[in-house]
Amino acid sequence: MATLTEEKFLLVQQYAGLLETIQEAFEHIVVCFEELRYEGAINLWEDILLAFSQIDDSNSAISEQFVDNPALLDCFDQFEEVLEATELLGKVDDIVMVQQIISKKIYPVFEDWRNKIDQEIKPYYIF
């Protein structure tokens, strides 16, 4: 395992925190849809998309710090599957279809990816 400088340690902590925040946002989206608060759900979705963009940008930078951990590097690469899942929304404008795609397709893909990356990244910030 790589020895992390304080700066790298903080970067990993922030990355993990962002993943946790996205997880919570997905959980809230599900509730918003169940309660027919569509505007709130869409606002959260837009926030998640911004966070996905940050993760995508961060993955290449952070991966440079973990060249000695091929499993973690593979997890960074697998984020592409999450991004591809978001493309399922395309031009869908039926809110019921949006709900189905987010809840039944995108969220599970993100959750699966997050579980994998958590296994690899936690040892770097949880002792």
Side-chain angles (χ1 to χ4, degrees):
M1 181 176 356
T3 304
L4 301 182
T5 64
E6 183 177 345
E7 181 181 337
K8 292 175 189 173
F9 175 77
L10 291 174
L11 178 66
V12 169
Q13 269 192 315
Q14 290 172 345
Y15 187 90
L18 181 57
L19 298 182
E20 179 66 28
T21 300
I22 294 169
Q23 178 73 33
E24 290 172 7
F26 269 118
E27 292 167 5
H28 284 95
I29 282 178
V30 171
V31 171
C32 285
F33 278 129
E34 289 171 355
E35 296 176 353
L36 306 178
R37 293 186 290 130
Y38 298 125
E39 187 175 334
I42 296 305
N43 288 339
L44 282 169
W45 175 244
E46 290 170 356
D47 290 344
I48 288 173
L49 286 176
L50 287 173
F52 280 178
S53 177
Q54 288 179 326
I55 289 172
D56 193 38
D57 291 344
S58 298
N59 281 350
S60 59
I62 198 171
S63 64
E64 294 172 5
Q65 309 303 322
F66 299 98
V67 294
D68 63 332
N69 186 336
L72 182 55
L73 295 176
D74 189 44
C75 287
F76 290 138
D77 290 342
Q78 290 175 11
F79 185 68
E80 192 64 33
E81 295 172 19
V82 177
L83 295 178
E84 288 172 4
T86 66
E87 294 173 7
L88 294 172
L89 284 177
K91 299 281 184 188
V92 174
D93 55 3
D94 175 21
I95 195 67
V96 174
M97 289 300 298
V98 169
Q99 174 185 4
Q100 290 289 320
I101 292 169
I102 291 173
S103 300
K104 305 277 188 224
K105 306 273 186 190
I106 300 169
Y107 182 29
V109 170
F110 170 78
E111 200 168 32
D112 183 52
W113 173 79
R114 181 178 177 226
N115 289 334
K116 290 175 188 174
I117 201 158
D118 272 353
Q119 289 178 344
E120 295 299 325
I121 208 166
K122 276 186 180 179
Y124 290 99
Y125 71 96
I126 295 180
F127 307 105

